[in-house]
């Protein structure tokens, strides 16, 4: 809403400069975005909240100025000479749908000279962004901007039988509105009709056929009140928002209808030398008594926490039209705790219906800055999210491993999501997406990760390590489901070339190593061979947590609740590996890309379990001894198999078994490979002797020979 | 002096030395010989051979003299030979020691000139990641409110219209719904309707349904609005909802909490201003402004020349909301606020485009380690 400073001054003495007024109004809740200068004087651009339709006119804003300046609001004074012929005899008004139209007033003006408006009027309208049309239409707009009440003028001679019927539109009824558009109406829409057809959409826009033109002689001036919800529905359905619909849908003042009509008739009479017929035809089914309200100091204190003096309460509520009247028995005592005021709701403030609404009125004009700030003591311990700790550890470990955290928009492209979506997952689709490529809630974070990698690669960033802690979405048994996940993506160099080191590409082993470092937080991951459709068939795998025993896990799910779930040992929680060429191609990823994702619920649960079970392990006082075994194995034999065979020997002194070198070719026969296994022995009780060590070694070698057909490679 | 090897292989008698003066002269000659040798030793290796030549256990000069001269010396010369030998030994040992020191010092000096590391060269840098800026802001907000006794809770992003709107006093045809364009889910026929929450406020209702006062929570999370993306709008952004309800929570406690937050978040110089506003689920409602930290209140482009910057919306919980969760609105009161995490981060770090938060360009992300 735009407000002219000089226009306000017609209703109230304004003891502030426009800039001061901007600040003052903002501090009582009438936000002013800025002040500009127009040929009609300084202009305030208001950013009104939707609950204040009373400020959609200069008079309503003047009332706020009067209240904050403690100045008097001048009444709207109207001198309206009428001819003796009565309006009631010249027209008739019926309201068939009182649920949609609560009041309809008609005034009649004869012998109008429709012509261009005078300069002063055009200037004001134009400053407020309203095009000048002719003096009759301009008068309705002028009064709307002044008093906040929309009106409409009909060419009386074009109304069949010169009468008005306010009714629901007939199904499929057509009307050409003032903007020249032919519209088809539904039965929910309230129309203003004459004896034959709809001549306007009630509260939204008039019809073209009864429009005021320069040939118009006689005018029927409508000033009505429409139900806000019905206006809102119709305006939405028709895709038509107007100055009128905005005011009616927020709740115009039904009492203002008649006053605005009178004011407008007086203006048209003056501008267009018209005769005004006597009286007004006023059908007012929605008339009701003003709503009684009450304010007590006790409640004001309970909500606001500080006392406001009696005089302030009474001045403020009085200025805003609430007519406060002290009703308690302690009237003589100033600022009594028992003070109560009986008030009534002014017709222009239908947003104020309760005591708390009155409290807000008092508080905002008293000044929110006058309430002292206090801190309240906490009565309960504060807690972080149930999964905050494992998430912190996970995040700090990923960051330490060089991964940069990302945050992405979970709305993704349906086809791209399908590239990663596990079989049998029903995705959560958006019914009203804004764009094709954001029509689905992602069923995994991998699709967002592929995008983030592509974005950076396209911008010259060749070596990337990214992670996201987020959610995946799906529909399960007809209901949407959200799951906490972590997604990892990497490409380019694992190590940059430097003075001390040579460059090396990021490879599957980097991904696996990093995942295992993370998995160690929750007791470790166990890798399995099967690959998913998005994964390269050779360099990828899936993993479970190395909690072998089936059992129950307390998992915190998205939404903060914790849930007990059955967790059979070996249940997969994630997958990692190189992105399949087929999928990489779709994202135009032209270098090797590695991705991984796993569920956070079970990970968090096992992190917590492991954390609670932590105990100190004594450190042996005796030296550890290392031995290397250079094995020739058949292709397909896994390191895991080697470890199993060694573990089966039950040699307690073995404290670690590592693989430190692997190669094929050279002097290794085809179908075989060489694996260098590094074993560390240590006892807690004694220094191991050469004899013990060679016994261990020979047992290990012969077991590997027998179980795996391994041969010891001699240098 | 080729003859020295010769001399020390012979006895004094064979050399024809018979008087103390002759003995002394022989030792003086040896001392001069040692001096000559030391001037030619410049490195560790030549020092070692010099040491071996003079102090070697078998064929060292001093050992030879002991064997050849001292042991066979006639009794009258024995004292002078013994004394001279001791003096020569002390001289040689001392000379060798100082020679070693000066050789080591010279070697170190040479090494310094040749090998000292260039401290301006980089060390081996292992890459490190960092938290996303939005995450950092979340953590900062959580830290501040945890210190005030607020517990952190989370909610689902997919909500029902009841929790997102109705229970927050926003019935179906409320004009406030216009300001929150909403994404709805396309679910199988017969499913309950769901939407993507437009604010984190539904957790107010969920929490109060489950818990009696006192309630003091914050709710971080993602929210969705069906707005066309631009520099200030995104389909998705982040909020932290706050809610405190008890029998003794008034506007003054609300104000104290908000002012504390603003000072902690923007610095102790930041001033707070509360401006009346409107939200369907708070009454009274306010916008929380902070003094503009660019112009310090004098007026600039960022603050639209008002000296103040709008931070977030808040207010006292509207009693209508208590009706939806069976709280006694005549007994309890409280406040709620909704912080826009992206907006606060934009303001604090001078980021002019909200899309930067979601593009995940590492050149942006690495600026906030
Ligand atoms: Zn500024």
């Amino acid at each position: 809403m735009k407000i002219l400073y000089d226009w306000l001054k017609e209703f109230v003495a304004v003891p502030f400069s426009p800039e001061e007024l901007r600040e003052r109004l903002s501090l009582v809740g009438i936000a002013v975005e800025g002040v500009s200068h127009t040929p009609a004087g300084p202009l305030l651009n208001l950013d009104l909240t939707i609950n204040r339709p009373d400020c959609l006119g200069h008079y309503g804003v003047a009332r706020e100025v009067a209240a904050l300046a403690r100045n008097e609001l001048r009444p709207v004074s109207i001198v309206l000479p009428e001819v003796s012929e009565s309006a009631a005899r010249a027209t008739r008004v019926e309201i068939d749908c009182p649920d949609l139209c609560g009041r309809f007033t008609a005034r009649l003006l004869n012998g109008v000279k429709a012509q261009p408006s005078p300069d002063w009027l055009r200037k004001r309208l134009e400053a407020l962004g309203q095009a000048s049309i002719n003096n009759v239409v301009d008068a309705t707009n002028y009064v709307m901007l002044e008093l906040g009440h929309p009106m409409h003028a009909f060419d009386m001679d074009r109304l069949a039988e010169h009468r008005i019927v306010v009714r629901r539109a007939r199904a499929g009824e057509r009307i050409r509105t003032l903007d020249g558009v032919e519209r088809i109406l539904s039965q929910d829409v309230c129309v203003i009709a004459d004896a034959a057809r709809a001549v306007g959409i009630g509260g939204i826009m008039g019809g073209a056929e009864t429009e005021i033109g320069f040939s118009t002689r006689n005018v029927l001036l409508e000033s009505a009140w429409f139900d806000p919800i019905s206006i809102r529905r119709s305006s939405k359905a028709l895709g038509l928002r107007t100055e009128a619909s905005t005011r009616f849908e927020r709740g115009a003042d039904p009492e203002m209808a008649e006053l605005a009509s009178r004011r407008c008739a007086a203006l048209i009479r003056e501008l267009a030398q018209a005769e005004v017929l006597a009286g007004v035809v006023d059908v007012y089914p929605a008339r009701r008594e003003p709503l009684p309200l009450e304010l007590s100091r006790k409640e004001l204190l309970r909500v606001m926490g500080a006392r406001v003096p009696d005089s302030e309460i009474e001045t403020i509520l009085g200025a805003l039209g609430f007519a406060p009247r002290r009703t308690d028995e302690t009237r003589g005592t100033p600022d009594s705790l028992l003070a109560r005021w009986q008030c009534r709701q002014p017709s222009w403030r239908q947003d104020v219906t309760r005591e708390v609404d009155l409290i807000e009125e008092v508080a905002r004009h008293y000044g929110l800055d006058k309430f002292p700030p206090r801190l309240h003591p906490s009565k309960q311990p504060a807690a972080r999210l149930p999964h905050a700790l494992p998430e912190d550890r996970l995040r700090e470990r990923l960051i330490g491993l060089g991964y940069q955290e990302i945050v992405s928009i979970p709305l993704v492209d349906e086809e791209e999501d399908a590239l990663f979506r596990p079989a049998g997952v029903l995705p959560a689709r958006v019914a009203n997406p804004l764009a094709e490529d954001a029509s689905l809630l992602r069923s995994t974070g991998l699709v967002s990760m592929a995008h983030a990698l592509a974005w950076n690669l396209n911008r010259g960033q060749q070596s990337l390590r990214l992670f996201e802690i987020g959610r995946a979405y799906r529909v399960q048994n007809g209901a949407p489901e959200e799951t906490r996940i972590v997604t990892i993506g990497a490409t380019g160099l694992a190590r940059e070339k430097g003075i001390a080191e040579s460059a090396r590409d990021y490879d599957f082993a980097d991904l696996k190593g990093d995942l295992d470092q993370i998995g160690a937080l929750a007791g470790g991951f166990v890798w399995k061979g099967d690959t998913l459709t998005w994964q390269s068939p050779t360099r990828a795998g899936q993993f479970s947590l190395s909690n072998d025993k089936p059992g129950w896990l307390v998992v915190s799910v998205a939404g903060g609740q914790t849930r007990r779930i059955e967790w059979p040992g070996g249940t997969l929680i994630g997958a990692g590996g190189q992105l399949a060429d087929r999928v990489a191609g779709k994202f135009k990823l032209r270098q090797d890309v590695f991705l991984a994702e796993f569920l956070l619920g079970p990970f968090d649960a096992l992190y917590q379990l492991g954390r609670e079970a932590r105990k100190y392990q004594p450190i042996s006082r005796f030296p550890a001894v290392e031995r290397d075994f250079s094995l020739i194995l058949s292709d397909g034999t896994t390191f895991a198999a080697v470890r199993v065979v060694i573990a089966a020997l039950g040699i307690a002194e073995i404290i670690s078994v590592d693989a430190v070198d692997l190669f094929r070719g050279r002097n290794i026969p085809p179908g075989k490979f060489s694996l260098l296994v590094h074993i560390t022995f240590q006892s807690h009780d004694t220094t191991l002797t050469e004899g013990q060590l060679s016994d261990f070694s020979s047992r290990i070698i012969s077991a590997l020979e027998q179980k795996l057909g391994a041969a010891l490679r001699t240098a | 002096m080729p003859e020295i090897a010769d001399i020390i292989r012979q006895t004094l008698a064979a050399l024809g030395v018979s008087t103390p003066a002759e003995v002394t002269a022989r030792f003086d000659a040896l001392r001069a010989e040692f001096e000559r040798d030391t001037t030619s030793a410049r490195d560790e290796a030549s020092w070692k051979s010099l040491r071996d030549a003079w102090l070697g256990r078998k064929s060292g000069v001093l050992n030879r003299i002991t064997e050849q001269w001292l042991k066979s010396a006639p009794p009258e010369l024995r004292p002078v030979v013994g004394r001279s030998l001791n003096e020569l030994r002390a001289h040689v040992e001392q000379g060798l020691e100082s020679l070693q020191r000066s050789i080591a010092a010279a070697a170190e000096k040479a090494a310094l000139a040749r090998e000292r590391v260039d401290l301006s060269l980089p060390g081996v840098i292992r890459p490190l990641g960092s938290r996303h800026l939005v995450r950092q802001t979340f953590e900062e907000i959580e830290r501040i409110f945890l210190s005030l006794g607020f517990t952190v809770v989370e909610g689902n992003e997919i909500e029902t219209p009841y929790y997102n709107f109705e229970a927050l006093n926003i019935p179906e045809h409320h004009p406030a719904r216009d300001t929150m364009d909403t994404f709805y889910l396309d679910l199988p026929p017969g499913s309950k309707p769901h939407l993507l929450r437009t604010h984190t406020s539904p957790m107010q209702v969920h929490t109060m349904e489950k818990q009696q006062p006192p309630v003091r929570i914050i709710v971080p999370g993602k929210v969705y609005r069906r707005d066309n993306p631009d520099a200030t709008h995104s389909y998705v952004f982040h909020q932290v909802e706050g809610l405190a309800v008890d029998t003794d929570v008034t506007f003054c406690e609300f104000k104290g909490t908000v002012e504390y937050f603003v000072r902690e978040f923007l610095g102790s110089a930041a001033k707070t201003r509360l401006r009346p506003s409107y939200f369907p689920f708070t009454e009274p409602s306010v916008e929380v402004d902070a003094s503009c930290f660019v112009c310090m209140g004098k007026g600039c482009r960022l603050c639209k020349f008002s000296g103040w910057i709008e931070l977030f919306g808040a207010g006292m919980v509207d009693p209508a909301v208590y009706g939806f969760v069976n709280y006694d609105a005549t007994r309890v009161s409280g406040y709620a606020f909704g912080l826009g995490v992206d907006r606060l981060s934009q303001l604090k770090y001078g980021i002019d485009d909200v899309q930067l938060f979601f593009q995940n360009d590492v050149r942006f992300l690495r600026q906030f380690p």
Side-chain angles (χ1 to χ4, degrees):
Chain A
M1 178 72 197
K2 295 183 167 72
I3 293 291
L4 286 167
Y5 180 72
D6 293 339
W7 200 344
L8 280 183
K9 293 206 287 195
E10 290 176 14
F11 302 112
V12 64
V14 184
F16 314 116
S17 71
E19 276 298 336
E20 280 166 356
L21 186 60
R22 171 192 185 184
E23 165 107 9
R24 298 277 188 147
L25 279 173
S26 293
L27 288 177
V28 296
I30 312 294
V32 184
E33 292 234 297
V35 178
S36 54
H37 294 274
T38 75
L43 177 134
L44 283 76
N45 192 4
L46 309 192
D47 180 19
L48 288 171
T49 52
I50 51 176
N51 60 326
R52 294 302 302 276
D54 62 304
C55 287
L56 288 166
H58 284 71
Y59 195 70
V61 177
R63 184 182 292 112
E64 288 290 328
V65 175
L68 69 88
R70 310 285 197 256
N71 278 340
E72 194 201 343
L73 177 70
R74 290 177 206 129
V76 185
S77 69
I78 301 158
V79 185
L80 182 64
E82 294 173 335
V83 297
S84 57
E85 191 188 344
S86 118
R89 293 190 47 182
T91 190
R92 227 168 61 227
V93 173
E94 270 172 72
I95 299 179
D96 280 359
C97 51
D99 50 332
L100 305 187
C101 176
R103 187 176 193 182
F104 194 101
T105 72
R107 268 203 163 76
L108 299 181
L109 296 98
N110 286 349
V112 301
K113 293 195 176 59
Q115 54 195 21
S117 293
D119 261 7
W120 67 266
L121 178 55
R122 300 173 64 117
K123 228 196 237 171
R124 279 198 171 173
L125 289 182
E126 278 159 15
L128 298 173
Q130 193 86 43
S132 171
I133 296 164
N134 58 51
N135 51 3
V136 178
V137 176
D138 288 359
T140 61
N141 284 331
Y142 184 85
V143 175
M144 174 181 73
L145 295 169
E146 183 176 69
L147 301 180
H149 202 88
M151 276 164 292
H152 185 70
F154 293 96
D155 186 330
M156 179 70 167
D157 299 320
R158 295 183 188 218
L159 292 175
E161 297 178 21
H162 297 165
R163 65 187 178 94
I164 293 288
V165 182
V166 184
R167 58 169 168 81
R168 287 174 182 275
R170 303 192 176 100
E173 189 168 7
R174 287 161 184 270
I175 184 171
R176 197 157 62 83
T177 40
L178 279 173
D179 53 3
V181 178
E182 172 98 4
R183 297 174 189 274
I184 304 169
L185 308 176
S186 77
Q187 284 168 288
D188 294 329
V189 175
C190 173
V191 295
I192 313 302
D194 60 14
R197 80 271 198 235
V199 293
I201 303 174
I204 299 179
M205 192 179 270
E209 287 177 31
T210 51
E211 188 181 355
I212 305 293
F214 290 107
S215 61
T216 299
R217 303 286 307 139
N218 302 313
V219 167
L220 182 147
L221 179 65
E222 165 202 325
S223 183
W225 185 88
F226 299 93
D227 175 64
I229 291 177
S230 113
I231 292 291
R232 193 175 143 71
R233 263 196 208 133
S234 301
S235 150
K236 269 203 146 169
L238 293 164
L240 185 57
R241 281 192 70 125
T242 60
E243 294 270 343
S245 72
T246 301
R247 286 170 172 81
F248 285 122
E249 75 168 35
R250 293 191 188 177
D253 175 4
E255 287 297 305
M256 180 57 89
E258 199 280 325
L259 183 71
S261 160
R262 221 180 323 142
R263 167 81 176 116
C264 188
L267 192 57
I268 297 174
R269 181 181 170 275
E270 183 192 315
L271 296 172
Q273 295 89 49
E275 290 184 337
V276 181
L277 269 57
V280 61
V281 180
D282 186 356
V283 184
Y284 193 176
R287 183 199 301 274
R288 56 175 179 78
E289 285 306 304
L291 184 70
L293 296 166
E294 195 182 55
L295 173 67
S296 69
R297 168 158 284 111
K298 222 176 114 207
E299 186 64 6
L300 184 91
L301 199 57
R302 190 178 77 90
V303 174
M304 298 304 295
R307 282 199 206 191
V308 180
D310 290 351
S311 58
E312 289 285 326
I313 292 173
E314 285 163 15
T315 308
I316 291 163
L317 291 178
L320 294 173
F322 290 93
R325 199 163 46 80
R326 194 67 190 271
T327 52
D328 58 287
E329 281 162 13
T330 59
R331 255 168 298 180
T333 327
D335 304 332
S336 155
L337 257 182
L338 300 174
R340 308 179 86 84
W341 290 268
Q342 192 69 51
C343 301
R344 61 175 163 74
Q345 180 199 52
S347 57
W348 58 85
R349 289 303 302 275
Q350 299 197 10
D351 59 310
V352 178
T353 58
R354 306 164 299 175
E355 188 168 17
V356 70
D357 301 326
L358 284 178
I359 290 172
E360 176 170 47
E361 294 303 300
V362 169
R364 70 188 177 89
H365 272 284
Y366 176 59
L368 298 182
D369 57 322
K370 296 202 183 74
F371 294 89
R374 293 193 293 256
L375 284 175
H376 43 138
S378 184
K379 293 176 188 168
Q380 286 167 321
R384 301 182 66 204
L385 285 170
H387 53 74
L389 195 60
E391 197 178 299
D392 283 352
R393 293 291 92 82
L394 171 66
R395 182 178 277 111
E396 75 192 19
R397 189 154 291 197
L398 280 162
I399 288 170
L401 290 168
Y403 293 83
Q404 171 66 50
E405 183 171 30
I406 65 166
V407 168
S408 45
I409 293 178
L411 292 167
V412 299
D413 183 90
E414 160 108 50
E415 272 177 42
E416 288 179 358
D417 188 69
L419 296 170
F420 296 96
R421 195 183 309 144
V425 167
L426 183 61
R429 288 192 180 79
V430 173
N432 56 339
L434 265 178
E436 193 63 21
D437 63 1
S439 60
L440 186 94
L441 283 164
R442 66 184 187 192
S443 43
T444 130
L446 295 164
V447 56
S448 315
M449 184 55 71
H451 263 291
L453 292 170
W455 172 280
N456 283 291
L457 288 171
N458 289 337
R459 282 156 186 83
Q461 304 297 311
Q462 302 301 316
S463 293
L464 300 159
R465 284 182 220 188
L466 307 176
F467 77 98
E468 178 172 26
I469 294 176
R471 294 181 187 186
Y473 311 78
R474 62 158 81 180
V475 176
Q476 188 93 321
N477 306 322
E481 215 177 70
E482 299 170 41
T483 315
R484 296 178 53 248
I485 49 165
V486 58
T487 312
I488 291 168
T491 188
L493 295 173
R495 206 166 61 196
E496 306 269 349
K497 192 201 168 326
I499 284 166
E501 287 180 316
S502 51
R504 185 171 67 70
D505 280 338
Y506 189 101
D507 206 344
F508 178 75
D510 292 290
L511 180 72
K512 182 172 188 289
D514 289 348
L515 281 166
D516 283 338
Q517 296 260 56
I518 295 159
L521 288 169
F525 289 150
V526 177
W527 289 74
K528 313 263 158 101
D530 291 345
T531 56
L532 300 168
T533 53
W534 61 267
Q535 292 181 307
S536 140
T538 51
R539 294 203 285 176
Q542 298 188 68
F543 46 87
S544 59
L545 287 161
S546 66
N547 168 30
D548 289 326
K549 285 165 246 109
W552 291 89
L553 283 185
V554 179
V555 172
S556 95
V557 291
Q561 319 95 303
T562 50
R563 201 173 62 183
R564 261 166 67 89
I565 56 166
E566 195 178 1
W567 194 257
T571 304
L572 292 169
I573 73 153
Q578 190 178 340
L579 187 61
D581 293 345
R582 181 181 63 84
V583 182
K586 300 250 165 130
F587 288 89
K588 303 200 170 61
L589 296 165
R590 292 189 194 85
Q591 59 189 52
D592 289 356
V593 161
F594 295 85
L595 296 176
E597 180 164 289
F598 63 88
L599 302 176
L600 285 177
F603 175 86
D604 296 344
L606 281 192
Y607 169 81
Q608 298 284 14
L609 285 177
R611 191 179 155 77
E612 284 153 23
R614 286 189 300 187
K615 281 281 180 304
Y616 163 69
Q617 299 295 320
I619 299 163
S620 173
R621 294 184 289 113
F622 302 97
V625 186
E626 296 170 354
R627 286 284 183 274
D628 282 347
F629 298 83
S630 185
L631 304 173
I632 309 281
L633 296 162
S634 300
D635 280 347
T637 307
T638 63
F639 176 56
V642 171
R643 295 181 67 141
V644 166
V645 167
I646 294 170
L649 294 170
I651 300 171
E653 288 81 358
I654 295 178
I655 61 166
S656 74
V657 178
D658 294 307
V660 290
D661 196 16
L662 184 154
F663 63 89
R664 291 186 162 79
R666 281 187 276 182
N667 35 18
I668 308 300
K672 305 266 182 192
F673 68 101
S674 162
L675 183 71
L676 184 64
V677 176
H678 184 84
I679 302 181
T680 308
F681 301 89
Q682 190 175 31
S683 164
H684 273 275
D685 312 313
T686 173
T687 299
L688 295 173
T689 64
E690 208 43 59
Q692 281 172 299
L693 287 165
S694 61
D695 172 53
F696 294 155
S697 293
S698 57
R699 282 168 65 197
I700 288 168
I701 292 161
S702 76
L704 290 169
E705 278 168 357
Q706 282 167 30
K707 300 273 166 50
L708 300 175
L712 200 62
R713 187 165 160 265
T714 42
Chain B
M1 193 169 128
E3 60 271 32
I4 186 163
D6 229 29
I7 293 165
I8 57 174
R9 282 201 188 86
Q10 302 172 42
T11 60
L12 289 175
L15 289 168
V17 173
S18 54
T19 65
E22 282 169 337
V23 168
T24 312
R26 286 289 172 178
F27 274 98
D28 286 348
L30 284 170
R31 186 186 282 234
E33 178 64 19
F34 176 72
E35 295 301 335
R36 262 193 304 281
D37 280 4
T38 55
T39 55
S40 57
R42 294 181 194 288
D43 57 17
E44 185 77 13
S46 51
W47 177 84
K48 273 186 180 147
S49 54
L50 180 66
R51 182 195 59 190
D52 292 347
W54 285 86
L55 297 177
R57 278 211 298 169
K58 276 188 183 150
S59 52
V61 172
L62 290 167
N63 198 46
R64 290 276 181 187
I65 293 169
T66 311
E67 293 296 324
Q68 300 296 329
W69 293 3
L70 183 65
K71 288 190 178 161
S72 61
E76 69 278 12
L77 287 183
R78 205 170 258 260
V80 66
V81 171
R83 197 176 59 242
S84 299
L85 180 58
N86 283 342
E87 279 169 13
L88 180 62
R89 181 182 298 278
H91 180 76
V92 166
E93 280 173 354
Q94 206 178 356
L96 281 169
E97 202 181 300
S98 77
L99 180 62
Q100 186 186 28
R101 269 202 306 273
S102 69
I103 286 172
E108 197 172 291
K109 208 174 154 193
L112 266 176
R114 192 174 59 244
E115 291 168 11
R116 177 168 174 113
V117 292
D118 175 357
L119 292 175
S120 63
L121 284 174
V124 176
I125 301 291
R126 308 276 167 234
L128 275 178
S130 66
R131 291 169 302 154
H132 192 283
L133 186 59
V134 163
R135 181 67 223 159
Q136 296 185 34
T137 305
F138 267 131
E139 287 182 6
E140 192 170 356
I141 294 169
E142 285 176 23
R143 176 186 63 74
I144 296 168
F145 283 103
L146 274 166
S147 77
L148 290 171
F150 283 75
T151 283
V152 188
V153 298
E154 252 186 356
N156 282 323
E157 292 164 23
I158 304 172
E159 267 294 352
T160 60
Y162 175 79
Y163 285 104
N164 196 71
F165 293 125
E166 275 91 354
L168 289 163
N169 200 28
I170 315 172
E172 194 175 345
H173 289 286
H174 199 286
R177 290 208 182 183
D178 280 354
T179 62
M180 292 191 265
D181 273 341
T182 309
F183 286 115
Y184 289 87
L185 285 196
D186 178 13
L187 293 171
S191 311
K192 251 197 344 195
H194 280 84
L195 48 75
L196 296 179
R197 65 178 177 194
T198 57
H199 44 192
T200 40
S201 314
M203 267 315 273
Q204 287 190 26
V205 182
H206 286 295
T207 305
M208 290 190 282
E209 276 180 347
K210 278 189 299 211
Q211 184 191 332
Q212 283 299 307
V215 167
R216 213 185 287 193
I217 55 161
I218 56 168
V219 190
K222 276 192 167 71
V223 301
Y224 298 75
R225 300 266 171 102
R226 199 172 172 278
D227 290 327
N228 280 306
D230 61 24
T232 52
H233 295 87
S234 164
Y235 292 153
V236 173
F237 54 99
H238 301 88
Q239 279 190 340
V240 176
E241 185 82 7
L243 174 72
V245 179
D246 203 347
T247 50
D248 55 0
V249 177
T250 75
F251 188 83
C252 294
E253 281 74 28
F254 161 63
K255 199 173 163 182
T257 305
V258 162
E259 288 187 0
Y260 177 80
F261 168 74
V262 171
R263 278 196 312 272
E264 285 288 304
F265 188 79
L266 291 178
S268 54
K271 284 200 272 295
T272 308
R273 170 177 97 163
L274 301 182
R275 205 157 36 75
S277 187
Y278 171 76
F279 303 103
F281 40 95
T282 49
E283 184 80 4
S285 300
V286 302
E287 290 288 352
V288 178
D289 293 348
S291 49
C292 178
F293 41 82
V294 171
C295 63
M296 297 301 162
K298 288 190 197 76
C300 69
R301 286 252 316 268
L302 179 67
C303 61
K304 294 183 196 155
F305 300 95
S306 70
W308 296 93
I309 288 176
E310 187 175 311
L311 289 187
F312 56 91
M316 300 301 289
V317 176
D318 193 296
V321 175
Y322 297 133
F324 288 96
V325 297
N326 290 321
Y327 275 17
D328 182 352
T330 63
R331 260 192 66 248
V332 299
S333 55
Y335 58 85
F337 51 84
L339 309 176
V341 175
D342 316 72
R343 179 175 162 73
L344 289 174
S345 315
Q346 277 186 277
L347 286 173
K348 191 164 174 173
Y349 303 102
I351 296 162
D352 53 8
D353 185 355
V354 72
Q355 301 299 327
L356 280 164
F357 291 132
F358 303 100
Q359 284 161 351
N360 294 313
D361 193 312
V362 293
R363 294 167 298 176
F364 167 75
L365 300 173
R366 287 177 188 147
Q367 291 182 27
F368 303 95

